[in-house]
Amino acid sequence: MIDEFKIYFLFFDRAGYGESDPNPTRTLRSDTYDIEELADKLQIGPKFHVIGMSLGAYPIYGCLKYIPHRLSGASLVVPLINFWWSRVPQNLLNAAMKKLPIGFQLTLRVAHYFPWLLYWWMTQKWFPNSRNPKDTMTERDLELAEMHTKHSYIKESALRQGDYVSTQRDIIAGYGNWEFDPTELSNPFSDSNKGSVHMWCALEDKQISRDVLLYICDMLPWIKLHEVPDGGHYIIHEKRHFEAIIKAACSE
């Protein structure tokens, strides 16, 4: 597939992951410009396609907002839902939030309203702050997650600096106050600027609300929605689904 489409993949560690320096003031905007700076320093060219999954999709929204001129395309795979977006109907966001386990809901609220307390919240033992994976993942998700986390890079390198400067700051950046709402985004592509934006929705996903993603795509008809009937939250780790995601990204 890589030979067919003449592409290559560039993976990088966001601030606080792997050997990337931590950034105590990380935001959606700063993570977006980190991507642009990395692309320039590696001289990969004026345009590139970005792909993000789940919580890792928030910088993709940032690229569409802050550096659309650098994009040849974008793919949002089961992207996070920020429950404090300003223009998505509150009833949709409330319904999506209520589907999550109470511990997960509380963690997101702490990250949004009291980000300086998140480390304490994640380490305290008095209140529920985590979730049982069985409540938020399908059986296949659990199998894929186990295979994925066994990878030596994940266990030994990606989280070497600790959860606080990596995953917890991801949560703060992703669920904090954004400077824009996804429905306010402008189409970065026209006849003279070819490219496409894709959103992938897994219909068996227990974490990401289909209704919210449908609303965003209804408001932004230039985003191509792909629904995966038999997919859960970890569809990107399924070979056939991953290949479908890449082929769609390379089709235009």
Side-chain angles (χ1 to χ4, degrees):
M1 183 183 67
I2 291 175
D3 292 339
E4 177 186 353
F5 291 110
K6 298 179 180 179
I7 58 176
Y8 74 95
F9 297 98
L10 171 61
F11 297 88
F12 75 98
D13 290 321
R14 287 194 293 279
Y17 286 92
E19 296 183 7
S20 294
D21 293 336
N23 179 359
T25 59
R26 271 178 65 191
T27 63
L28 188 156
R29 182 190 283 266
S30 70
D31 278 350
T32 300
Y33 288 119
D34 281 351
I35 292 173
E36 183 177 41
E37 181 182 5
L38 178 66
D40 289 339
K41 288 192 173 181
L42 293 179
Q43 299 180 344
I44 66 173
K47 290 182 179 290
F48 42 84
H49 191 108
V50 288
I51 300 176
M53 169 207 168
S54 189
L55 178 58
Y58 75 82
I60 310 306
Y61 280 118
C63 289
L64 290 168
K65 173 64 176 179
Y66 299 120
I67 58 169
H69 58 288
R70 300 301 305 272
L71 300 181
S72 60
S75 298
L76 298 133
V77 184
V78 294
L80 87 161
I81 294 169
N82 183 311
F83 301 98
W84 295 271
W85 283 331
S86 60
R87 298 203 175 193
V88 176
Q90 195 60 51
N91 64 311
L92 290 181
L93 295 176
N94 289 342
M97 173 74 91
K98 289 178 180 177
K99 292 181 180 179
L100 300 175
I102 187 63
F104 195 5
Q105 294 183 39
L106 292 173
T107 295
L108 298 184
R109 293 182 188 280
V110 170
H112 181 82
Y113 293 110
F114 312 104
W116 59 90
L117 287 178
L118 186 60
Y119 177 76
W120 169 83
W121 174 259
M122 297 299 289
T123 54
Q124 57 81 32
K125 305 297 183 182
W126 297 286
F127 306 102
N129 59 13
S130 60
R131 60 193 188 275
N132 185 336
K134 293 182 179 180
D135 293 335
T136 56
M137 293 186 181
T138 65
E139 289 298 323
R140 182 56 179 161
D141 282 338
L142 293 171
E143 293 174 3
L144 292 167
E146 183 177 0
M147 289 187 289
H148 181 59
T149 53
K150 280 183 177 178
H151 194 289
S152 60
Y153 177 75
I154 300 296
K155 296 179 68 176
E156 299 172 11
S157 299
L159 301 178
R160 62 191 295 179
Q161 300 183 64
D163 288 336
Y164 178 66
V165 297
S166 54
T167 56
Q168 290 180 24
R169 285 188 179 153
D170 267 351
I171 295 171
I172 292 171
Y175 292 98
N177 289 314
W178 290 21
E179 297 176 335
F180 64 94
D181 185 277
T183 62
E184 299 173 325
L185 293 171
S186 299
N187 185 356
F189 306 112
S190 63
D191 292 339
S192 60
N193 184 23
K194 293 183 178 180
S196 57
V197 180
H198 301 264
M199 182 176 289
W200 292 80
C201 173
L203 299 189
E204 295 184 6
D205 195 332
K206 294 184 178 182
Q207 300 183 41
I208 306 300
S209 168
R210 174 179 179 267
D211 292 340
V212 175
L213 300 188
L214 285 177
Y215 180 83
I216 293 173
C217 290
D218 284 343
M219 298 298 293
L220 304 175
W222 44 270
I223 295 182
K224 299 181 179 181
L225 177 66
H226 305 264
E227 294 185 299
V228 183
D230 59 342
H233 195 63
Y234 269 53
I235 57 170
I236 204 168
H237 297 298
E238 286 273 21
K239 181 177 184 292
R240 60 194 175 97
H241 295 319
F242 178 72
E243 290 186 352
I245 291 167
I246 300 305
K247 288 178 179 178
C250 295
S251 63
E252 298 189 21

